Amino acid sequence: MPRNAADSNRMRTYIFGPVPSRRLGISLGVDLTPTKTCSFDCLYCQLSKTRFHTSERKEFCSPDEVIAELKEVLGEIAAPDWITISGTGEPTLHSGLGYILAEIKKINSAPCCVITNSSLIYLPEVRQELMLADRLLPTLSTVSQQTFTRIHRPTPDLQLNKILEGLRIFIHEFTGSVEIEIFVCPGVNDTDEEIKNLRNYLMTLDRLESVYLNAAVRMPLDSEIKTADQNRLNAFRTKLNLSIPVTTAFEHNLVPPRMSNWNRPAVSSDILKLLLRHPCSEQQLERVLGSAPEKLRELLNELSMAGKVKKTANDCWTLVE
Ligand code: SF4
């Protein structure tokens, strides 16, 4: 049975992949918002500047259409390890999230994970909807309102103290697993004071399973912050000094490269589908596709010569419209 995104030729609107994911194995993505609709505009965002900066929940797309497309794709591919609600914006902004999660459960094809920036978890209705997931990967990079505003550039109504309380309540009540992602921004949230305060908060979360330290592959050109290397993440972990597992982006095993059975048309198709969802840097494409840099560059140059893709000012690749 086909396993890759390249095996299905139909253009999809909401479903993305399956793609190999650092933390989730083979993950089939569900994107519920228009591109870059987010309550944050993070300094480290690898997509682009937030286009629709909002914290207002809406039905951005028909939940039934999402489920219909998901069923169709699941019928064409081998069962993924996870169905992952994430994508090119903040998924909890979709007011039909609870319904969609309930429908995914009924399909019973794979466990469901939600990747969220945590911004709306202070809302009881969002917590209730997220209870239907099997796994939550929320981001929490600081417990300082000032640093939070600097890193995430949230909509003005979002208050970190409410988010922290909402996250604590959720983790206490949730029966699935939770892994908090901390995005390490050198010189901003990795001072001794920042890490100590974050540690103190994390210690209050009684059922937190693990922590993941992430770092940008490459910063947007206009970003004021730098990328964190392995040493920086290791130092952060040491200072965090938690008794639960703390892994870093550099340690996660990636899906084995396809070099042994490099299939140009399949990889080209995967690239086009990935770029249809959002612009990607070469490093992102390498990791997601599990391909060697030189082969990937060769393919990108071919697609560029064919007028299908182009490089953006911040060194990402995007589709030619
Ligand atoms: S929360 Fe995610 S999608 Fe939104 S701006 Fe931050 S990194 Fe980008």
Side-chain angles (χ1 to χ4, degrees):
M1 191 176 274
R3 181 99 207 189
N4 298 312
D7 298 320
S8 169
N9 294 321
R10 209 168 301 109
M11 277 300 175
R12 303 172 194 155
T13 308
Y14 314 109
I15 309 303
F16 170 59
V19 292
S21 150
R22 283 199 245 186
R23 293 190 281 175
L24 297 164
I26 300 296
S27 163
L28 186 65
V30 182
D31 192 355
L32 298 180
T33 55
T35 303
K36 208 58 209 293
T37 300
C38 194
S39 45
F40 288 175
D41 184 17
C42 302
L43 284 175
Y44 58 76
C45 189
Q46 301 285 291
L47 303 179
S48 61
K49 239 193 125 27
T50 293
R51 282 164 69 187
F52 307 104
H53 200 210
T54 179
S55 56
E56 191 186 338
R57 301 191 78 206
K58 273 192 196 154
E59 194 171 288
F60 292 98
C61 57
S62 154
D64 287 325
E65 278 181 24
V66 173
I67 295 299
E69 191 175 291
L70 177 62
K71 283 181 178 165
E72 196 178 299
V73 175
L74 285 169
E76 295 168 351
I77 63 170
D81 297 322
W82 289 89
I83 294 171
T84 306
I85 302 191
S86 60
T88 59
E90 171 49 33
T92 60
L93 284 170
H94 196 295
S95 54
L97 178 64
Y99 173 83
I100 291 165
L101 283 168
E103 291 300 307
I104 292 175
K105 284 232 121 136
K106 282 187 208 162
I107 300 172
N108 196 24
S109 167
C112 187
C113 173
V114 180
I115 299 180
T116 173
N117 65 16
S118 310
S119 60
L120 300 188
I121 205 155
Y122 74 95
L123 296 170
E125 62 271 26
V126 170
R127 292 200 295 274
Q128 198 179 351
E129 291 171 36
L130 288 173
M131 287 291 166
L132 295 166
D134 298 292
R135 191 173 184 195
L136 191 75
L137 303 182
T139 298
L140 181 73
S141 297
T142 178
V143 293
S144 147
Q145 175 71 43
Q146 201 184 356
T147 309
F148 171 75
T149 304
R150 182 172 169 201
I151 294 178
H152 299 300
R153 300 186 286 202
T155 54
D157 56 310
L158 293 172
Q159 292 170 26
L160 182 61
N161 58 345
K162 287 191 185 174
I163 294 171
L164 295 174
E165 190 49 24
L167 194 55
R168 191 201 325 269
I169 295 169
F170 179 82
I171 293 176
H172 180 67
E173 294 174 355
F174 188 51
T175 54
S177 71
V178 180
E179 177 174 85
I180 284 184
E181 174 198 64
I182 300 171
F183 213 99
V184 177
C185 303
V188 183
N189 67 344
D190 67 346
T191 63
D192 288 352
E193 182 74 3
E194 278 280 343
I195 298 175
K196 184 184 86 185
N197 293 337
L198 192 51
R199 170 187 157 77
N200 289 342
Y201 171 76
L202 294 174
M203 298 279 284
T204 68
L205 306 177
D206 52 356
R207 298 185 61 254
L208 178 62
E209 194 168 289
S210 55
V211 169
Y212 174 67
L213 302 182
N214 203 358
V217 178
R218 184 178 296 179
M219 282 297 144
L221 278 187
D222 64 350
S223 179
E224 63 181 85
I225 51 177
K226 298 189 168 53
T227 58
D229 61 15
Q230 172 84 70
N231 290 339
R232 205 112 191 183
L233 297 191
N234 286 343
F236 196 109
R237 172 167 50 196
T238 303
K239 288 180 192 165
L240 211 48
N241 190 23
L242 295 173
S243 55
I244 56 173
V246 180
T247 56
T248 73
F250 298 99
E251 293 160 353
H252 275 260
N253 285 333
L254 302 180
V255 170
R258 287 184 184 168
M259 296 316 298
S260 54
N261 61 340
W262 175 261
N263 177 336
R264 294 179 83 84
V267 180
S268 289
S269 177
D270 278 355
I271 290 173
L272 295 175
K273 280 177 179 160
L274 280 160
L275 297 183
L276 178 68
R277 308 309 302 171
H278 55 70
C280 293
S281 66
E282 264 172 49
Q283 285 91 341
Q284 284 175 314
L285 289 169
E286 274 167 35
R287 288 191 314 203
V288 170
L289 298 168
S291 58
E294 60 285 0
K295 287 270 188 185
L296 179 66
R297 205 157 302 131
E298 208 180 286
L299 212 44
L300 283 166
N301 286 337
E302 270 177 28
L303 289 168
S304 171
M305 302 271 282
K308 294 183 177 171
V309 303
K310 63 179 179 187
K311 229 175 193 176
T312 63
N314 63 354
D315 237 10
C316 281
W317 286 92
T318 187
L319 287 188
V320 174
E321 288 169 17

